[in-house]
Amino acid sequence: MNTLLSTLSTKDLDEMYCKRDYANLIKTLYPNYKKHGIRPGKNWSSDWHSYKLLCSSLFLEGCYYDCLIMMKELFSGERFDSDALTPRERVHFVECALESLLYCVFNGAPWDIDAREALETALEKAPQYYKACNEYSDEKYYHIKELYAKFLAGTLPYYTVTFFVPLVLNFDSYTFNLSDAPPYQSMTVKQEKRGSVNGMLFSTTINGFIKADSFWEGPLWEERQKLAVATLPVNMINHLLLIIAEGDTQDFMPRIRPEQLSSIVIHQYMGDGKTYHWCDGTMFDGQFIKKWAQRTEYGQETLERINQILIQNYNLPLYATLYHQAQNVMNVGLYEESIMLFFACIEATVHYWCAHLSELHGASTEYAEFETKKHVCRNCSLYQEKPTAQGVSSSEMPPSIRSYPGFLKKQKIINADQEKMLRKFIVEAQNENLRNKMMHGEVGRVSLAQVENCRKTIYKINEIFISVADGHKK
C-alpha cells in the first residue's frame, strides 16, 4: 500500500477534502486505487469512503475521464441508491456524471462509451435526486440540459481565452476571422498597457466545451499539463508570430508557452452567448512578467558573482555546456528545443566520460579503436565469407552510444551492475519512441514531464560516471 496513505486516517482524508486540497488527495489515493482497486472484506468500507472522496476530487479538478471510470466501479449495482450516500452526495455525484458525460459528448472519450446515450439517461433520472434533496440547487442540471438541447439543434458551445503578453506587435488592433480554421472562430489582438508594461491582449474564441478554470490541467490526471486551456490559443498566436517574423521582421521570434502567462480569463458559453462558467485566474510565476518586465538593474555584487561564474565555466566540457543550455531553454518553456539539446547532451556525456575514464585506466588506444567506424555488415556471415561481393554495402558506422558501457566493462573500468544501470539510463534518457516521432514529424508537442525525465536521467548517468572516476582516485 502507498506509504503515505497507510499513515492517513479517514479523518485525515476528510480534512484534506474539506480544505479543497483535491490535487494532493488525488496524488495520495489514485496510485493506490489503480494498484489495488476497492479491496473486498474488512477493507471495503474504508476503501469505498476514500475512493468516494477521490472520485469527487477528480471531478472537481476537471479530470472528467478518470471521474467516470471511478464512478463506474463505485456505484455498480445498487450502491448509488443505498444508505452509503446522503441525498446531498447523490445530487453531487449526479452533477459529476452530467458534466463529465457532457465533456465526452463534445470531446470524445478514451474508451468505448456512448456518451450521448449515457448523458440522456442521466438527464432523465437526475430530477428525482434533486427533488429528494431540496437544499441543493438544480441550476447546473438545467444549464447542462439546455446546452445539450442546443447542441442537438445544431448550436455548438464555444469559449474564449484572454491573456496579456508583454510583446508589442506593429498594429493597434485587429480581429482575425478563423472560421475556416476549426475549432477556432476568431482571435482579437490589440495593444494594451498594464502599468509600465506595453504589450498585446489576445482574445481567442474557440468552438468546444472545456473546464473554464485557469488551473485546469486537462481531463486525464496522468496526462495533466499546466494551463491546458491556453494550448490552442497559444498555438494560433505562435503561428501569427512566425508569419510576422518570416514575412516582415526576419528576426528570431521566441515561441510563447502556456507556462509563460501570468494571468488568463476564460469564459465558457452555451452557444447563444449565455455564460455557462467563467474564471479570472492569476498565476504568480508567469515567466514573461517575472523575467522581462519586472527585472531590476544588476548591482555590483551580482555582477561580480556573474564574473566568477564566467571564469569558472568558460572551459566546461561540451556535455556540461549542452546541459545548461538545454536547462535554460526548458526554463522558458521551449520544451521541443530543450529535449533535442538534451538528446545531444546524452551522447556528449557518454563520449566525454568514456574517453576520460579510458585515459585514467590506460585504455586510450583500445578506446580509439573501439570508436572507429566499422562496416555495417561486419557481423553477417555472408559478408565475412566474401566482403567484396557485388552489391555489398560499403557503409560504415561508429558504435552506438548504448554500446559504450559494454566497452568500459570489457576494459574492467566498470562492473556488471554499473554497466546494466548505465545502459538502462541511456535508453530511458534517449526516449527513442519520442525522438523518432519528433525527427519524422509525427509529434509537435513535448511536455515538461518528458523533458524533466530526460534531464534527471542524464544527471543520474553523470553521477555514475563521477563515482567511477572518484573510485579510481582512491
Side-chain angles (χ1 to χ4, degrees):
M1 175 175 276
N2 183 306
T3 305
L4 177 59
L5 179 56
S6 65
T7 65
L8 295 174
S9 65
T10 300
K11 184 179 178 181
D12 294 327
L13 295 172
D14 285 338
E15 190 173 333
M16 288 176 72
Y17 184 82
C18 290
K19 288 181 176 179
R20 301 185 179 184
D21 193 7
Y22 306 128
N24 278 327
L25 195 146
I26 296 170
K27 288 176 185 175
T28 302
L29 291 175
Y30 210 12
N32 199 68
Y33 164 76
K34 290 207 164 186
K35 186 174 182 180
H36 300 290
I38 300 177
R39 296 169 297 170
K42 65 178 182 178
N43 297 303
W44 186 88
S45 180
S46 62
D47 277 8
W48 196 86
H49 179 79
S50 298
Y51 297 139
K52 180 180 68 173
L53 298 179
L54 171 59
C55 182
S56 180
S57 297
L58 286 165
F59 169 75
L60 293 166
E61 284 290 301
C63 300
Y64 296 119
Y65 296 152
D66 301 274
C67 174
L68 288 173
I69 291 169
M70 286 230 56
M71 288 188 77
K72 185 176 180 181
E73 180 166 352
L74 276 172
F75 303 125
S76 60
E78 304 288 324
R79 293 177 194 166
F80 192 75
D81 292 314
S82 71
D83 293 336
L85 291 176
T86 66
R88 185 178 181 84
E89 285 177 320
R90 284 195 196 93
V91 175
H92 170 68
F93 282 111
V94 163
E95 293 190 345
C96 292
L98 288 173
E99 189 166 280
S100 297
L101 288 167
L102 187 70
Y103 183 87
C104 290
V105 167
F106 293 120
N107 298 281
W111 68 94
D112 185 20
I113 177 178
D114 188 334
R116 290 174 66 167
E117 181 181 342
L119 177 59
E120 288 169 4
T121 300
L123 285 168
E124 182 182 342
K125 292 182 177 181
Q128 63 179 301
Y129 296 109
Y130 283 101
K131 187 175 181 181
C133 180
N134 52 25
E135 60 180 305
Y136 208 116
S137 169
D138 55 4
E139 182 180 8
K140 183 182 281 287
Y141 163 74
Y142 281 110
H143 275 159
I144 291 173
K145 186 177 181 180
E146 182 182 350
L147 210 160
Y148 183 60
K150 290 182 183 299
F151 163 70
L152 293 178
T155 303
L156 290 173
Y158 64 92
Y159 61 94
T160 61
V161 181
T162 304
F163 47 79
F164 175 80
V165 175
L167 175 73
V168 178
L169 300 178
N170 197 26
F171 57 89
D172 292 328
S173 178
Y174 189 78
T175 296
F176 295 88
N177 183 350
L178 304 176
S179 56
D180 290 332
Y184 301 94
Q185 285 188 14
S186 63
M187 179 172 66
T188 298
V189 186
K190 63 180 180 180
Q191 288 195 23
E192 185 170 295
K193 187 170 184 176
R194 295 193 174 180
S196 61
V197 181
N198 292 309
M200 308 300 291
L201 187 70
F202 294 88
S203 184
T204 310
T205 302
I206 302 170
N207 289 324
F209 182 82
I210 44 109
K211 182 175 176 62
D213 184 337
S214 59
F215 294 99
W216 184 50
E217 296 184 317
L220 275 169
W221 174 255
E222 289 188 345
E223 296 179 13
R224 59 194 182 280
Q225 58 186 31
K226 188 176 180 182
L227 279 174
V229 293
T231 299
L232 281 176
V234 163
N235 286 347
M236 184 56 72
I237 291 167
N238 284 328
H239 281 302
L240 171 67
L241 298 181
L242 189 59
I243 290 168
I244 292 172
E246 290 187 338
D248 180 18
T249 66
Q250 301 298 309
D251 294 328
F252 170 68
M253 180 64 73
R255 289 184 300 119
I256 299 171
R257 301 294 299 215
E259 291 83 354
Q260 294 171 315
L261 306 176
S262 61
S263 64
I264 184 168
V265 179
I266 309 151
H267 277 82
Q268 174 69 61
Y269 295 99
M270 305 279 284
D272 57 0
K274 185 187 296 184
T275 299
Y276 177 80
H277 188 63
W278 75 282
C279 172
D280 184 349
T282 299
M283 284 66 67
F284 296 97
D285 58 351
Q287 292 171 18
F288 271 120
I289 300 300
K290 180 173 68 176
K291 295 193 174 184
W292 298 349
Q294 293 182 347
R295 61 176 182 241
T296 56
E297 186 177 351
Y298 290 152
Q300 184 67 24
E301 184 179 340
T302 301
L303 290 169
E304 289 175 358
R305 181 169 57 83
I306 292 172
N307 197 147
Q308 288 299 313
I309 294 171
L310 281 172
I311 294 169
Q312 293 165 7
N313 294 350
Y314 85 100
N315 201 24
L316 283 175
L318 175 61
Y319 85 88
T321 301
L322 285 170
Y323 183 88
H324 290 295
Q325 287 175 343
Q327 189 166 248
N328 178 256
V329 175
M330 179 188 76
N331 287 338
V332 297
L334 302 178
Y335 301 141
E336 289 76 28
E337 291 85 342
S338 176
I339 203 162
M340 293 305 288
L341 283 169
F342 276 130
F343 286 154
C345 180
I346 297 163
E347 304 215 9
T349 301
V350 175
H351 280 297
Y352 171 82
W353 280 110
C354 285
H356 181 63
L357 291 170
S358 295
E359 186 178 353
L360 285 178
H361 288 263
S364 294
T365 302
E366 291 82 353
Y367 180 68
E369 165 59 24
F370 166 74
E371 277 216 302
T372 57
K373 292 182 178 180
K374 308 290 194 304
H375 198 283
V376 294
C377 298
R378 65 186 180 277
N379 295 322
C380 172
S381 59
L382 295 176
Y383 171 79
Q384 292 169 357
E385 182 180 334
K386 194 172 183 181
T388 58
Q390 186 177 0
V392 172
S393 171
S394 60
S395 298
E396 294 181 334
M397 290 186 69
S400 162
I401 204 69
R402 299 181 185 185
S403 65
Y404 279 65
F407 166 79
L408 294 180
K409 178 175 175 290
K410 185 177 180 181
Q411 299 299 318
K412 297 182 170 43
I413 296 172
I414 61 174
N415 59 39
D417 288 340
Q418 289 168 325
E419 180 204 17
K420 182 179 178 181
M421 194 63 69
L422 282 169
R423 280 181 180 273
K424 174 181 178 294
F425 285 149
I426 290 170
V427 170
E428 183 178 339
Q430 283 186 314
N431 198 337
E432 195 167 275
N433 184 49
L434 174 64
R435 183 169 63 169
N436 286 343
K437 285 187 175 182
M438 290 182 70
M439 296 303 293
H440 292 287
E442 295 178 27
V443 62
R445 181 173 174 81
V446 176
S447 70
L448 173 60
Q450 289 170 316
V451 184
E452 266 287 275
N453 184 63
C454 184
R455 183 191 69 79
K456 289 177 180 177
T457 310
I458 293 171
Y459 195 90
K460 292 174 185 175
I461 292 170
N462 196 51
E463 283 188 318
I464 293 174
F465 281 131
I466 290 173
S467 68
V468 173
D470 287 346
H472 176 75
K473 293 174 187 177
K474 296 173 184 177

